[in-house]
Amino acid sequence: MKFSTKIRYGIRAMIEIGSDTTPSNGVFQKDIAKNQNLSVKYLDHIISSLKASGLITTVRGRKSGYILTRPASEISMLDIHNAFENGICVIDCLDINFKCENDGVCKSQEFWKGLNVIVLDYFKATTLKDLIDR
């Protein structure tokens, strides 16, 4: 199981934004890119998805940056993940859109379902604040 660079960079960008000690100005995209060693152009896509999902917004005014739309303690890693991909599936056959030939007879299916629940619960239980405080 791999997580996309958009998800990984999205988490890093959210940590930058959530760690800001001067939220009145917000965090500038160029600063996020510099601090996280990311391309500004690629970060455009990340920021766009985070804004579209309602996790961040632009501070009003000239030369404004980005701020969180709610406290970091109320933003789970699943919220950030879902800004880029819907749901978590450790293997394809658990995806609701996947038609598995062995559905109902596969003896390993319960194992994968259990692992998926553990991963999903971990993403739900871990907040942005948890990562910022580490």
Side-chain angles (χ1 to χ4, degrees):
M1 176 177 182
K2 283 183 143 181
F3 292 99
S4 71
T5 55
K6 283 188 177 183
I7 293 168
R8 296 192 326 263
Y9 293 172
I11 291 171
R12 288 167 52 187
M14 289 292 286
I15 291 170
E16 282 286 324
I17 296 166
S19 297
D20 185 30
T21 56
T22 57
S24 59
N25 296 332
V27 180
F28 298 107
Q29 186 169 330
K30 65 180 175 69
D31 293 332
I32 297 169
K34 179 183 169 200
N35 294 341
Q36 292 297 320
N37 196 27
L38 302 172
S39 150
V40 175
K41 187 174 180 175
Y42 191 63
L43 190 56
D44 278 339
H45 300 287
I46 305 292
I47 295 294
S48 177
S49 293
L50 293 171
K51 282 177 69 175
S53 66
L55 295 174
I56 63 172
T57 190
T58 308
V59 176
R60 295 195 188 271
R62 214 178 118 189
K63 294 191 175 185
S64 59
Y66 297 101
I67 59 170
L68 301 177
T69 58
R70 56 188 194 259
S73 61
E74 296 177 15
I75 298 173
S76 72
M77 290 300 102
L78 186 61
D79 294 328
I80 299 170
H81 177 281
N82 288 344
F84 304 98
E85 294 177 17
N86 286 326
I88 293 177
C89 260
V90 295
I91 59 171
D92 289 338
C93 70
L94 297 179
D95 189 315
I96 59 169
N97 296 320
F98 187 82
K99 186 68 177 161
C100 181
E101 299 170 0
N102 297 321
D103 191 31
V105 296
C106 178
K107 294 183 186 255
S108 65
Q109 190 176 42
E110 290 305 312
F111 168 78
W112 295 118
K113 283 181 182 178
L115 178 61
N116 206 75
V117 167
I118 291 168
V119 172
L120 192 58
D121 287 347
Y122 185 65
F123 270 72
K124 286 179 187 175
T126 306
T127 67
L128 181 57
K129 183 169 179 10
D130 294 332
L131 276 92
I132 291 169
D133 290 346
R134 287 188 182 156

